[in-house]
Amino acid sequence: MIVQTADDGISVLVVDDSFVQCQHAVELCRQIIGGKMYQAGNGVEALQSLARGRVNIMIVDLEMPIMDGVELISQVASENLVEAVIIVSAKDISLISSVGEMAQADGLQVLGTLQKPLTETDLRACLDVYVSAQQPLGRGEGPREDVSARDLATAITESSITMHYQPKLTTQGLKFSGVEALARWEHPARGFISPEVFIGAAEAGGEIGALTMCLLRVALGAKQKWLSQGLDVKLAFNLSPSMLIKSHFANWFSEYIEYSHINPESITLEVTENVLLGQVGKGLMNLARLRLKGFPVSIDDYGSGFASAEQLARVPATELKIDRVLVDGVADRPAKRAILDSTIKLAHQLNLSTVAEGVERFEDYQVLADMGVDMVQGYYFARPMPARELLRWVRQDLPLLRKKLVDFK
Ligand code: C2E
Ligand code: CA
Ligand code: CA
């Protein structure tokens, strides 16, 4: 049963021995992205279909007669027959995830590992990952939530999007080692809008370049002001993956920093681990050039997705930022501790310094410090704050915090 349907666009092959579930997945895909749909009832049929042409995405079940999903995935990866996979199975999630890791290690882009029944929400999230990675810069039609292009453009020109700054501290001696700049938008009518929402909207709508420029200007202004007050602050700045794949980005960014008379070593560029996945040639090239120009590069959100150790080694990074999912509650969870332990060892072997983010409890901080994490960041120490509050925090609150931690022990 190999069926070709619909018109041009993204091509999807659904492989499942249950005809009903296969149809269900095809129907959902058709509603979400349209494009060309193919179906197969097992691995052999899938390979026959792929022999007639590659597809963009394969949605694959694991348990199937004749040739199962695991074998199919490894064949498809070795012959480079699909770009990306979504693994869907009724098996337990840890098994599905480990097949995902395997596919990732084989070089496939894994958009998601899902447990059956397949829902529209889950599938949409996976397909969104693929679509946004393909989005031509400056012209996306992705989800904008309820932020309009006009709102965003006005906010950018009126500079009503601002930055807050969250301190990063060393675990040894709790010394102030810089801040991460985090975008904030207080909308006059709607109140606080999350950066994840408006940055996503700017990426989809093509305003991300203007927004990045505006945020950089604000953050560098704060840095200069702190310097005039006697505090030389290292700044971590988040970069959207869509900025990184613009071919002139490295030049543009470094020229702007040079023009502002700022030392590149004092600006760490944070890029999410997603940058390691999929088609990242240009992104990695820009990162390598930025490293050459002296900017430290941090892999953000490590542990929240599928980046493998091997992919990590390919990135010209100087720092690994361990995601809150691995950090939160580590004091009570032996499994998290084991993963963290090997992550920290790996990072140090790769010469990367480590930052644990999202530290909310003293117990977790203590475990992280004992494990050799270099830096910490989180609500336990400080929430992101406006620029004008930083000096007071460093001079008054931080010494109190150090004293409190000594008393705690
Ligand atoms: P991120 O880069 O992973 O930033 C860390 C997020 O964790 C921030 O959320 C921060 O406020 C929050 N956080 C820090 N400590 C804790 C903690 O102890 N517990 C908890 N629960 N959360 C903590 P925020 O500011 O809402 O930013 C969310 C995301 O939006 C950021 O995640 C980043 O991906 C994106 N973002 C924020 N500002 C920018 C920006 O200027 N440019 C770009 N491209 N992305 C940005
Ligand atoms: Ca970050
Ligand atoms: Ca992060």
Side-chain angles (χ1 to χ4, degrees):
M1 167 201 36
I2 302 168
V3 185
Q4 182 177 334
T5 53
D7 45 357
D8 281 318
I10 294 174
S11 52
V12 182
L13 169 66
V14 181
V15 193
D16 196 320
D17 58 323
S18 152
F19 183 72
V20 174
Q21 299 200 18
C22 214
Q23 283 291 323
H24 172 62
V26 165
E27 209 38 58
L28 287 178
C29 285
R30 199 171 278 145
Q31 283 166 22
I32 300 169
I33 50 167
K36 275 187 193 152
M37 304 291 155
Y38 302 92
Q39 294 173 233
N42 59 56
V44 173
E45 282 186 10
L47 290 174
Q48 284 167 358
S49 167
L50 292 168
R52 278 175 238 146
R54 267 176 114 228
V55 296
N56 301 116
I57 303 171
M58 176 171 79
I59 300 179
V60 60
D61 180 25
L62 291 183
E63 286 177 289
M64 288 180 298
I66 308 177
M67 182 193 281
D68 66 30
V70 178
E71 193 182 341
L72 174 63
I73 289 169
S74 83
Q75 286 228 22
V76 154
S78 71
E79 291 169 44
N80 193 20
L81 298 173
V82 307
E83 257 175 81
V85 290
I86 299 171
I87 301 165
V88 189
S89 167
K91 288 285 180 193
D92 70 283
I93 198 72
S94 64
L95 171 63
I96 310 173
S97 305
S98 66
V99 177
E101 304 256 349
M102 178 204 83
Q104 192 84 65
D106 281 352
L108 286 173
Q109 184 185 4
V110 179
L111 303 174
T113 48
L114 306 174
Q115 211 169 11
K116 284 185 178 178
L118 183 61
T119 66
E120 186 187 337
T121 313
D122 286 348
L123 186 59
R124 190 181 285 281
C126 296
L127 294 172
D128 275 352
V129 174
Y130 181 81
V131 173
S132 52
Q134 308 300 308
Q135 212 67 259
L137 290 169
R139 285 188 286 115
E141 292 297 330
R144 303 185 61 94
E145 304 270 337
D146 56 352
V147 177
S148 73
R150 219 171 90 213
D151 271 1
L152 206 51
T154 311
I156 291 169
T157 46
E158 291 178 354
S159 299
S160 55
I161 296 181
T162 58
M163 284 294 205
H164 278 199
Y165 304 87
Q166 187 177 34
K168 284 162 77 178
L169 302 168
T170 61
T171 45
Q172 298 296 317
L174 224 58
K175 292 191 202 95
F176 176 64
S177 74
V179 294
E180 176 178 6
L182 294 157
R184 293 288 174 267
W185 185 9
E186 197 65 43
H187 192 282
R190 289 192 218 139
F192 178 77
I193 302 177
S194 159
E196 274 154 333
V197 170
F198 67 79
I199 282 163
E203 284 190 333
E207 296 94 359
I208 190 66
L211 180 59
T212 304
M213 184 67 163
C214 152
L215 295 174
L216 186 62
R217 206 180 312 119
V218 173
L220 296 183
K223 185 169 159 52
Q224 305 285 42
K225 181 92 190 273
W226 292 320
L227 192 60
S228 73
Q229 294 167 332
L231 193 65
D232 193 359
V233 179
K234 286 193 173 156
L235 196 73
F237 190 77
N238 291 285
L239 279 183
S240 297
S242 57
M243 289 304 292
L244 261 189
I245 53 177
K246 293 187 190 244
S247 47
H248 300 298
F249 179 72
N251 274 352
W252 172 82
F253 193 88
S254 55
E255 277 165 19
Y256 191 77
I257 298 294
E258 196 181 329
Y259 170 79
S260 313
H261 304 290
I262 288 173
N263 181 355
E265 279 171 23
S266 67
I267 312 283
T268 298
L269 303 172
E270 293 197 6
V271 293
T272 63
E273 66 168 13
N274 296 342
V275 93
L276 314 183
L277 310 177
Q279 296 167 333
V280 291
K282 258 190 205 154
L284 286 183
M285 196 73 91
N286 265 322
L287 274 183
R289 297 183 57 212
L290 288 160
R291 275 287 298 123
L292 284 174
K293 291 180 190 290
F295 293 95
V297 169
S298 177
I299 305 296
D300 202 357
D301 301 340
Y302 187 76
S304 65
F306 290 101
S308 67
E310 194 193 330
Q311 285 162 326
L312 193 62
R314 286 197 328 208
V315 180
T318 50
E319 178 183 278
L320 189 69
K321 211 157 177 192
I322 305 165
D323 193 72
R324 186 155 58 90
V325 294
L326 283 183
V327 168
D328 189 38
V330 65
D332 324 310
R333 314 244 171 88
K336 272 194 190 182
R337 202 183 291 211
I339 299 172
L340 253 174
D341 194 44
S342 61
T343 303
I344 294 161
K345 289 198 175 103
L346 171 73
H348 288 161
Q349 274 164 5
L350 293 171
N351 259 335
L352 301 172
S353 62
T354 48
V355 184
E357 66 178 348
V359 183
E360 293 186 359
R361 306 186 310 161
F362 172 74
E363 297 83 347
D364 292 339
Y365 159 68
Q366 215 174 18
V367 169
L368 293 163
D370 290 346
M371 288 174 112
V373 167
D374 302 301
M375 276 169 279
V376 282
Q377 180 183 338
Y379 292 171
Y380 181 71
F381 311 100
R383 294 204 170 232
M385 62 188 84
R388 62 176 181 280
E389 289 177 17
L390 187 72
L391 207 63
R392 190 193 49 79
W393 186 86
V394 172
R395 297 200 170 145
Q396 293 174 22
D397 296 3
L398 181 57
L400 293 176
L401 188 67
R402 277 191 207 118
K403 189 172 172 310
K404 185 172 120 189
L405 288 190
V406 171
D407 292 347
F408 238 130
K409 286 182 182 166

